[in-house]
Amino acid sequence: MPVKPDPIITAINRSRAASAELDKIAVREPTLSNGNPADETEEYAVWETASHKARDVAATAWAEVTATQPTTAAGAIELINCYLEIWSEHPIKAEHQVSGALKILRSFLRSIAE
């Protein structure tokens, strides 16, 4: 019988992909020759729209992570790894996201402790 993958791993992979896309867009911000944002240009308006969309997709993907309970110990470990990755790269961002991750880990641990 095939083993069903832990849904938290799928959610984490979506979140990582969305964050990577957001990072790719962020580094393509149009700038003027002096390094300032080219915020008065059409190119910038297009970039800004794409940036907002990517930010929304990343936020939705992270919300899915924090709403998905692991179903396996491997999934719980992957959630911890995901949080630690975020914390090591963006400590302030991670501080705001820790409560959701801890709540679903607590729920998973309660479910296997019974």
Side-chain angles (χ1 to χ4, degrees):
M1 174 185 259
V3 177
K4 187 176 179 182
D6 191 322
I8 192 67
I9 293 173
T10 301
I12 289 167
N13 288 338
R14 280 190 198 120
S15 181
R16 285 180 175 144
S19 291
E21 184 61 26
L22 179 59
D23 290 345
K24 280 195 257 181
I25 290 170
V27 298
R28 294 192 308 245
E29 180 180 10
T31 57
L32 301 171
S33 59
N34 64 6
N36 291 332
D39 56 2
E40 300 291 326
T41 66
E42 180 66 28
E43 180 187 14
Y44 191 89
V46 170
W47 171 85
E48 189 172 38
T49 298
S51 179
H52 286 298
K53 182 178 179 184
R55 194 173 314 128
D56 290 346
V57 169
T60 298
W62 180 253
E64 181 185 354
V65 169
T66 62
T68 304
Q69 180 177 323
T71 58
T72 63
I77 291 167
E78 192 60 26
L79 180 60
I80 292 168
N81 290 339
C82 177
Y83 174 75
L84 290 173
E85 285 172 16
I86 294 169
W87 181 78
S88 69
E89 294 172 15
H90 309 284
I92 293 171
K93 180 179 176 183
E95 184 178 313
H96 297 301
Q97 295 176 339
V98 70
S99 65
L102 288 176
K103 286 177 186 176
I104 59 175
L105 282 171
R106 179 181 59 195
S107 181
F108 168 72
L109 291 171
R110 283 181 177 159
S111 75
I112 64 169
E114 299 172 345

